[in-house]
Amino acid sequence: MELQGIAEHIKQRELELLQTNWRANPALINDWLSADFEEIGSDGQVSQRVDVVNWLLNKDNAIQWSLTDFRIKVLTNGLIMAVYFAKKCNDPSSTSKGSIRTSIWQHQGDHWKIVFHQATKRLEA
């Protein structure tokens, strides 16, 4: 797969992580999150895989997201960093201006799996 195709694939996976109803088939999470996955949230809190799986299973599935300014950088063969801006589209209770996000994806077996994620709150619109 060429670089543009990988970028589109990773962007789609990022969107699906946010918008999929994981309660319908929680075992699929293992195809997406690496066993050693960790995250630094926009609040600076470090979360382990179990915390993120819990969030995925209990998130509001009605919320839609937009991902813009999406780009990837190849770190090594089979290791990619994605950088983008994420914002909730349809959450009237949210006052967030969105966040800048960075994810590291590793090609493991037949899948690209996310191994690390960080969100940084955006302070300006």
Side-chain angles (χ1 to χ4, degrees), residues 32-83:
W32 293 74
L33 266 64
S34 179
D36 58 350
F37 174 83
E38 68 178 9
E39 173 180 89
I40 301 172
S42 60
D43 59 359
Q45 190 77 20
V46 177
S47 298
Q48 300 304 314
R49 186 182 194 277
V50 66
D51 303 315
V52 174
V53 168
N54 188 49
W55 181 82
L56 288 170
L57 293 173
N58 294 292
K59 68 183 176 54
D60 183 348
N61 291 310
I63 295 174
Q64 296 295 301
W65 294 77
S66 70
L67 306 185
T68 56
D69 301 326
F70 193 93
R71 65 189 186 279
I72 64 168
K73 180 175 182 154
V74 176
L75 301 176
T76 64
N77 188 25
L79 196 65
I80 290 184
M81 180 173 66
V83 179

Short mmCIF file of all heavy atoms in Angstrom, two decimals, residues 32-83:
data_model
loop_
_atom_site.label_atom_id
_atom_site.label_comp_id
_atom_site.label_asym_id
_atom_site.label_seq_id
_atom_site.Cartn_x
_atom_site.Cartn_y
_atom_site.Cartn_z
N TRP A 32 -7.65 -3.54 17.06
CA TRP A 32 -7.38 -2.11 16.91
C TRP A 32 -6.32 -1.60 17.88
O TRP A 32 -5.48 -0.80 17.51
CB TRP A 32 -8.67 -1.32 17.13
CG TRP A 32 -9.67 -1.58 16.05
CD1 TRP A 32 -10.41 -2.72 15.88
CD2 TRP A 32 -10.02 -0.74 14.98
NE1 TRP A 32 -11.20 -2.60 14.77
CE2 TRP A 32 -10.98 -1.39 14.21
CE3 TRP A 32 -9.62 0.55 14.62
CZ2 TRP A 32 -11.55 -0.82 13.08
CZ3 TRP A 32 -10.19 1.11 13.50
CH2 TRP A 32 -11.14 0.43 12.74
N LEU A 33 -6.40 -2.02 19.15
CA LEU A 33 -5.49 -1.53 20.18
C LEU A 33 -4.41 -2.56 20.46
O LEU A 33 -4.71 -3.72 20.75
CB LEU A 33 -6.25 -1.26 21.48
CG LEU A 33 -6.76 0.15 21.72
CD1 LEU A 33 -7.79 0.53 20.68
CD2 LEU A 33 -7.34 0.28 23.11
N SER A 34 -3.17 -2.12 20.40
CA SER A 34 -2.04 -2.98 20.74
C SER A 34 -2.14 -3.40 22.21
O SER A 34 -2.70 -2.67 23.03
CB SER A 34 -0.74 -2.22 20.50
OG SER A 34 0.36 -2.99 20.83
N ALA A 35 -1.59 -4.53 22.54
CA ALA A 35 -1.64 -5.03 23.92
C ALA A 35 -0.95 -4.07 24.89
O ALA A 35 -1.32 -4.00 26.06
CB ALA A 35 -0.99 -6.42 24.00
N ASP A 36 0.03 -3.30 24.41
CA ASP A 36 0.77 -2.38 25.28
C ASP A 36 0.35 -0.92 25.06
O ASP A 36 1.07 0.01 25.42
CB ASP A 36 2.27 -2.53 25.08
CG ASP A 36 2.71 -2.29 23.64
OD1 ASP A 36 1.84 -2.20 22.75
OD2 ASP A 36 3.92 -2.20 23.41
N PHE A 37 -0.85 -0.70 24.51
CA PHE A 37 -1.36 0.63 24.23
C PHE A 37 -1.41 1.50 25.49
O PHE A 37 -1.75 1.03 26.57
CB PHE A 37 -2.77 0.53 23.64
CG PHE A 37 -3.42 1.87 23.44
CD1 PHE A 37 -3.15 2.61 22.31
CD2 PHE A 37 -4.28 2.39 24.39
CE1 PHE A 37 -3.73 3.86 22.12
CE2 PHE A 37 -4.87 3.63 24.22
CZ PHE A 37 -4.59 4.36 23.08
N GLU A 38 -1.08 2.78 25.32
CA GLU A 38 -1.31 3.76 26.37
C GLU A 38 -1.64 5.10 25.74
O GLU A 38 -1.37 5.33 24.56
CB GLU A 38 -0.14 3.87 27.35
CG GLU A 38 1.11 4.46 26.79
CD GLU A 38 2.21 4.57 27.85
OE1 GLU A 38 2.08 4.06 28.96
OE2 GLU A 38 3.23 5.19 27.53
N GLU A 39 -2.23 5.98 26.56
CA GLU A 39 -2.71 7.25 26.06
C GLU A 39 -2.43 8.35 27.07
O GLU A 39 -2.51 8.12 28.27
CB GLU A 39 -4.22 7.13 25.82
CG GLU A 39 -4.90 8.43 25.46
CD GLU A 39 -6.38 8.24 25.24
OE1 GLU A 39 -7.14 8.34 26.20
OE2 GLU A 39 -6.77 7.97 24.09
N ILE A 40 -2.15 9.54 26.55
CA ILE A 40 -2.10 10.73 27.38
C ILE A 40 -3.26 11.60 26.92
O ILE A 40 -3.30 12.04 25.76
CB ILE A 40 -0.77 11.49 27.25
CG1 ILE A 40 0.39 10.57 27.64
CG2 ILE A 40 -0.79 12.76 28.11
CD1 ILE A 40 1.77 11.15 27.37
N GLY A 41 -4.24 11.79 27.80
CA GLY A 41 -5.43 12.55 27.45
C GLY A 41 -5.18 14.05 27.44
O GLY A 41 -4.13 14.53 27.88
N SER A 42 -6.17 14.80 26.97
CA SER A 42 -6.04 16.25 26.88
C SER A 42 -5.94 16.90 28.27
O SER A 42 -5.53 18.04 28.39
CB SER A 42 -7.20 16.85 26.09
OG SER A 42 -8.42 16.54 26.72
N ASP A 43 -6.27 16.13 29.31
CA ASP A 43 -6.13 16.62 30.68
C ASP A 43 -4.77 16.29 31.28
O ASP A 43 -4.49 16.59 32.43
CB ASP A 43 -7.24 16.03 31.57
CG ASP A 43 -7.20 14.51 31.61
OD1 ASP A 43 -6.35 13.88 30.95
OD2 ASP A 43 -8.05 13.93 32.33
N GLY A 44 -3.90 15.66 30.48
CA GLY A 44 -2.57 15.29 30.94
C GLY A 44 -2.52 13.96 31.67
O GLY A 44 -1.45 13.51 32.06
N GLN A 45 -3.64 13.31 31.82
CA GLN A 45 -3.74 12.03 32.53
C GLN A 45 -3.25 10.89 31.64
O GLN A 45 -3.65 10.79 30.48
CB GLN A 45 -5.19 11.79 32.92
CG GLN A 45 -5.42 10.65 33.86
CD GLN A 45 -5.06 10.99 35.29
OE1 GLN A 45 -4.98 12.14 35.68
NE2 GLN A 45 -4.82 9.98 36.08
N VAL A 46 -2.40 10.04 32.18
CA VAL A 46 -1.94 8.85 31.46
C VAL A 46 -2.94 7.73 31.70
O VAL A 46 -3.30 7.44 32.85
CB VAL A 46 -0.53 8.42 31.92
CG1 VAL A 46 -0.10 7.13 31.21
CG2 VAL A 46 0.48 9.54 31.66
N SER A 47 -3.41 7.12 30.63
CA SER A 47 -4.36 6.02 30.72
C SER A 47 -3.76 4.76 30.13
O SER A 47 -3.12 4.82 29.07
CB SER A 47 -5.65 6.35 29.97
OG SER A 47 -6.28 7.48 30.54
N GLN A 48 -4.00 3.65 30.78
CA GLN A 48 -3.56 2.36 30.27
C GLN A 48 -4.64 1.80 29.34
O GLN A 48 -5.75 2.31 29.27
CB GLN A 48 -3.29 1.40 31.43
CG GLN A 48 -2.22 1.90 32.39
CD GLN A 48 -0.90 2.20 31.71
OE1 GLN A 48 -0.40 1.43 30.91
NE2 GLN A 48 -0.32 3.37 32.03
N ARG A 49 -4.32 0.72 28.68
CA ARG A 49 -5.23 0.10 27.72
C ARG A 49 -6.60 -0.19 28.33
O ARG A 49 -7.63 0.08 27.73
CB ARG A 49 -4.60 -1.18 27.17
CG ARG A 49 -5.39 -1.84 26.06
CD ARG A 49 -4.71 -3.13 25.62
NE ARG A 49 -5.23 -3.63 24.38
CZ ARG A 49 -6.34 -4.37 24.27
NH1 ARG A 49 -7.05 -4.67 25.33
NH2 ARG A 49 -6.73 -4.81 23.09
N VAL A 50 -6.62 -0.75 29.54
CA VAL A 50 -7.88 -1.12 30.17
C VAL A 50 -8.80 0.10 30.36
O VAL A 50 -10.00 0.01 30.19
CB VAL A 50 -7.64 -1.87 31.51
CG1 VAL A 50 -6.98 -0.98 32.55
CG2 VAL A 50 -8.92 -2.48 32.03
N ASP A 51 -8.22 1.26 30.67
CA ASP A 51 -9.01 2.48 30.85
C ASP A 51 -9.61 2.94 29.53
O ASP A 51 -10.76 3.37 29.47
CB ASP A 51 -8.13 3.61 31.42
CG ASP A 51 -7.47 3.22 32.73
OD1 ASP A 51 -8.16 2.66 33.60
OD2 ASP A 51 -6.25 3.47 32.87
N VAL A 52 -8.83 2.84 28.46
CA VAL A 52 -9.30 3.26 27.15
C VAL A 52 -10.37 2.29 26.63
O VAL A 52 -11.37 2.71 26.06
CB VAL A 52 -8.12 3.41 26.17
CG1 VAL A 52 -8.62 3.70 24.76
CG2 VAL A 52 -7.17 4.50 26.66
N VAL A 53 -10.18 1.01 26.85
CA VAL A 53 -11.20 0.02 26.46
C VAL A 53 -12.50 0.33 27.19
O VAL A 53 -13.58 0.33 26.58
CB VAL A 53 -10.72 -1.42 26.74
CG1 VAL A 53 -11.87 -2.41 26.61
CG2 VAL A 53 -9.58 -1.80 25.80
N ASN A 54 -12.43 0.64 28.46
CA ASN A 54 -13.63 0.98 29.23
C ASN A 54 -14.31 2.22 28.64
O ASN A 54 -15.54 2.25 28.49
CB ASN A 54 -13.26 1.21 30.69
CG ASN A 54 -14.47 1.37 31.56
OD1 ASN A 54 -15.41 0.58 31.50
ND2 ASN A 54 -14.47 2.42 32.36
N TRP A 55 -13.52 3.22 28.26
CA TRP A 55 -14.09 4.41 27.64
C TRP A 55 -14.77 4.06 26.32
O TRP A 55 -15.89 4.50 26.05
CB TRP A 55 -13.02 5.49 27.42
CG TRP A 55 -13.60 6.72 26.81
CD1 TRP A 55 -14.25 7.74 27.45
CD2 TRP A 55 -13.62 7.05 25.41
NE1 TRP A 55 -14.66 8.69 26.55
CE2 TRP A 55 -14.29 8.29 25.28
CE3 TRP A 55 -13.13 6.43 24.27
CZ2 TRP A 55 -14.48 8.91 24.05
CZ3 TRP A 55 -13.32 7.06 23.04
CH2 TRP A 55 -13.99 8.28 22.93
N LEU A 56 -14.10 3.27 25.49
CA LEU A 56 -14.67 2.88 24.19
C LEU A 56 -16.00 2.16 24.36
O LEU A 56 -16.94 2.38 23.59
CB LEU A 56 -13.69 2.00 23.42
CG LEU A 56 -12.46 2.68 22.83
CD1 LEU A 56 -11.48 1.63 22.31
CD2 LEU A 56 -12.82 3.67 21.74
N LEU A 57 -16.08 1.30 25.35
CA LEU A 57 -17.31 0.52 25.57
C LEU A 57 -18.45 1.35 26.14
O LEU A 57 -19.61 0.97 26.01
CB LEU A 57 -17.02 -0.66 26.50
CG LEU A 57 -16.11 -1.74 25.92
CD1 LEU A 57 -15.76 -2.77 26.99
CD2 LEU A 57 -16.75 -2.42 24.71
N ASN A 58 -18.13 2.49 26.75
CA ASN A 58 -19.16 3.29 27.43
C ASN A 58 -19.36 4.68 26.86
O ASN A 58 -20.15 5.45 27.40
CB ASN A 58 -18.82 3.39 28.92
CG ASN A 58 -18.90 2.04 29.59
OD1 ASN A 58 -19.98 1.48 29.72
ND2 ASN A 58 -17.77 1.49 29.97
N LYS A 59 -18.70 5.01 25.77
CA LYS A 59 -18.82 6.35 25.20
C LYS A 59 -20.20 6.55 24.56
O LYS A 59 -20.92 5.59 24.29
CB LYS A 59 -17.71 6.59 24.18
CG LYS A 59 -17.83 5.74 22.93
CD LYS A 59 -16.67 5.97 22.00
CE LYS A 59 -16.72 5.06 20.80
NZ LYS A 59 -17.91 5.04 20.03
N ASP A 60 -20.55 7.81 24.33
CA ASP A 60 -21.81 8.17 23.67
C ASP A 60 -21.65 7.91 22.17
O ASP A 60 -20.93 8.64 21.48
CB ASP A 60 -22.14 9.63 23.94
CG ASP A 60 -23.46 10.06 23.35
OD1 ASP A 60 -24.04 9.32 22.52
OD2 ASP A 60 -23.93 11.17 23.70
N ASN A 61 -22.31 6.88 21.66
CA ASN A 61 -22.17 6.50 20.26
C ASN A 61 -22.89 7.42 19.29
O ASN A 61 -22.71 7.31 18.08
CB ASN A 61 -22.64 5.06 20.06
CG ASN A 61 -21.70 4.08 20.73
OD1 ASN A 61 -20.50 4.13 20.54
ND2 ASN A 61 -22.25 3.20 21.54
N ALA A 62 -23.70 8.35 19.80
CA ALA A 62 -24.40 9.28 18.92
C ALA A 62 -23.49 10.43 18.48
O ALA A 62 -23.77 11.10 17.49
CB ALA A 62 -25.63 9.85 19.63
N ILE A 63 -22.42 10.66 19.20
CA ILE A 63 -21.52 11.77 18.87
C ILE A 63 -20.71 11.44 17.62
O ILE A 63 -20.12 10.38 17.51
CB ILE A 63 -20.60 12.09 20.06
CG1 ILE A 63 -21.43 12.61 21.23
CG2 ILE A 63 -19.53 13.12 19.66
CD1 ILE A 63 -20.65 12.85 22.50
N GLN A 64 -20.72 12.38 16.70
CA GLN A 64 -19.94 12.27 15.47
C GLN A 64 -18.72 13.19 15.58
O GLN A 64 -18.78 14.21 16.25
CB GLN A 64 -20.79 12.66 14.26
CG GLN A 64 -21.97 11.73 14.03
CD GLN A 64 -21.52 10.33 13.66
OE1 GLN A 64 -20.83 10.12 12.68
NE2 GLN A 64 -21.91 9.36 14.47
N TRP A 65 -17.66 12.82 14.92
CA TRP A 65 -16.40 13.56 14.98
C TRP A 65 -15.96 13.98 13.59
O TRP A 65 -16.23 13.30 12.61
CB TRP A 65 -15.32 12.67 15.57
CG TRP A 65 -15.54 12.30 17.00
CD1 TRP A 65 -16.40 11.36 17.48
CD2 TRP A 65 -14.87 12.84 18.14
NE1 TRP A 65 -16.31 11.28 18.85
CE2 TRP A 65 -15.37 12.19 19.28
CE3 TRP A 65 -13.88 13.82 18.30
CZ2 TRP A 65 -14.92 12.48 20.55
CZ3 TRP A 65 -13.44 14.12 19.58
CH2 TRP A 65 -13.96 13.45 20.69
N SER A 66 -15.22 15.08 13.53
CA SER A 66 -14.54 15.45 12.29
C SER A 66 -13.05 15.43 12.56
O SER A 66 -12.59 15.83 13.63
CB SER A 66 -14.98 16.84 11.81
OG SER A 66 -14.48 17.84 12.68
N LEU A 67 -12.30 14.92 11.60
CA LEU A 67 -10.85 14.90 11.66
C LEU A 67 -10.35 15.73 10.49
O LEU A 67 -10.68 15.44 9.34
CB LEU A 67 -10.30 13.47 11.54
CG LEU A 67 -10.83 12.42 12.52
CD1 LEU A 67 -10.09 11.10 12.31
CD2 LEU A 67 -10.72 12.88 13.96
N THR A 68 -9.57 16.78 10.79
CA THR A 68 -9.06 17.64 9.74
C THR A 68 -7.55 17.78 9.86
O THR A 68 -6.96 17.39 10.88
CB THR A 68 -9.73 19.03 9.80
OG1 THR A 68 -9.53 19.59 11.10
CG2 THR A 68 -11.22 18.95 9.50
N ASP A 69 -6.95 18.35 8.85
CA ASP A 69 -5.49 18.55 8.79
C ASP A 69 -4.75 17.26 9.09
O ASP A 69 -3.72 17.25 9.77
CB ASP A 69 -5.05 19.66 9.77
CG ASP A 69 -5.71 20.99 9.46
OD1 ASP A 69 -5.95 21.27 8.27
OD2 ASP A 69 -5.98 21.76 10.39
N PHE A 70 -5.27 16.15 8.56
CA PHE A 70 -4.72 14.83 8.84
C PHE A 70 -3.46 14.60 8.02
O PHE A 70 -3.43 14.84 6.81
CB PHE A 70 -5.75 13.74 8.50
CG PHE A 70 -5.38 12.39 9.03
CD1 PHE A 70 -5.83 11.97 10.26
CD2 PHE A 70 -4.57 11.54 8.29
CE1 PHE A 70 -5.49 10.73 10.76
CE2 PHE A 70 -4.22 10.30 8.78
CZ PHE A 70 -4.69 9.89 10.02
N ARG A 71 -2.42 14.15 8.68
CA ARG A 71 -1.18 13.80 7.98
C ARG A 71 -0.49 12.66 8.72
O ARG A 71 -0.74 12.45 9.91
CB ARG A 71 -0.26 15.00 7.84
CG ARG A 71 0.26 15.55 9.15
CD ARG A 71 1.00 16.88 8.93
NE ARG A 71 1.64 17.36 10.13
CZ ARG A 71 1.06 18.01 11.14
NH1 ARG A 71 -0.24 18.25 11.07
NH2 ARG A 71 1.73 18.41 12.18
N ILE A 72 0.35 11.95 8.02
CA ILE A 72 1.12 10.89 8.65
C ILE A 72 2.60 11.11 8.39
O ILE A 72 2.98 11.80 7.43
CB ILE A 72 0.71 9.47 8.18
CG1 ILE A 72 0.99 9.29 6.68
CG2 ILE A 72 -0.73 9.17 8.53
CD1 ILE A 72 0.88 7.84 6.23
N LYS A 73 3.39 10.51 9.25
CA LYS A 73 4.84 10.51 9.09
C LYS A 73 5.31 9.09 9.34
O LYS A 73 4.94 8.48 10.34
CB LYS A 73 5.48 11.47 10.09
CG LYS A 73 6.98 11.51 9.98
CD LYS A 73 7.57 12.56 10.90
CE LYS A 73 9.06 12.58 10.68
NZ LYS A 73 9.66 13.82 10.99
N VAL A 74 6.09 8.56 8.42
CA VAL A 74 6.65 7.22 8.59
C VAL A 74 7.81 7.32 9.56
O VAL A 74 8.77 8.08 9.32
CB VAL A 74 7.10 6.63 7.24
CG1 VAL A 74 7.76 5.27 7.45
CG2 VAL A 74 5.93 6.53 6.27
N LEU A 75 7.74 6.59 10.67
CA LEU A 75 8.81 6.58 11.66
C LEU A 75 9.85 5.52 11.32
O LEU A 75 11.05 5.78 11.36
CB LEU A 75 8.24 6.36 13.06
CG LEU A 75 7.22 7.42 13.52
CD1 LEU A 75 6.65 7.05 14.87
CD2 LEU A 75 7.85 8.81 13.54
N THR A 76 9.38 4.32 11.03
CA THR A 76 10.21 3.22 10.55
C THR A 76 9.30 2.35 9.71
O THR A 76 8.09 2.58 9.64
CB THR A 76 10.81 2.36 11.69
OG1 THR A 76 9.75 1.73 12.41
CG2 THR A 76 11.66 3.17 12.64
N ASN A 77 9.84 1.31 9.12
CA ASN A 77 9.02 0.38 8.36
C ASN A 77 7.98 -0.25 9.30
O ASN A 77 8.34 -0.85 10.30
CB ASN A 77 9.91 -0.70 7.73
CG ASN A 77 9.13 -1.57 6.77
OD1 ASN A 77 8.12 -1.15 6.22
ND2 ASN A 77 9.61 -2.78 6.57
N GLY A 78 6.71 -0.05 9.00
CA GLY A 78 5.65 -0.64 9.82
C GLY A 78 5.27 0.18 11.04
O GLY A 78 4.51 -0.28 11.88
N LEU A 79 5.78 1.41 11.15
CA LEU A 79 5.47 2.28 12.30
C LEU A 79 5.19 3.69 11.77
O LEU A 79 6.05 4.30 11.13
CB LEU A 79 6.64 2.30 13.28
CG LEU A 79 6.36 2.84 14.68
CD1 LEU A 79 5.35 1.94 15.41
CD2 LEU A 79 7.65 2.94 15.47
N ILE A 80 3.98 4.18 12.04
CA ILE A 80 3.53 5.45 11.49
C ILE A 80 2.98 6.34 12.59
O ILE A 80 2.30 5.86 13.50
CB ILE A 80 2.44 5.20 10.42
CG1 ILE A 80 3.10 4.57 9.22
CG2 ILE A 80 1.70 6.47 10.06
CD1 ILE A 80 2.23 4.35 8.05
N MET A 81 3.25 7.63 12.48
CA MET A 81 2.67 8.61 13.38
C MET A 81 1.63 9.41 12.61
O MET A 81 1.91 9.90 11.50
CB MET A 81 3.74 9.56 13.93
CG MET A 81 3.16 10.60 14.88
SD MET A 81 4.45 11.59 15.69
CE MET A 81 5.12 12.47 14.29
N ALA A 82 0.44 9.52 13.17
CA ALA A 82 -0.62 10.33 12.58
C ALA A 82 -0.81 11.57 13.45
O ALA A 82 -0.79 11.48 14.68
CB ALA A 82 -1.93 9.53 12.52
N VAL A 83 -0.99 12.72 12.80
CA VAL A 83 -1.23 13.98 13.49
C VAL A 83 -2.45 14.63 12.84
O VAL A 83 -2.53 14.69 11.61
CB VAL A 83 -0.01 14.93 13.40
CG1 VAL A 83 -0.30 16.25 14.11
CG2 VAL A 83 1.24 14.27 13.96
#
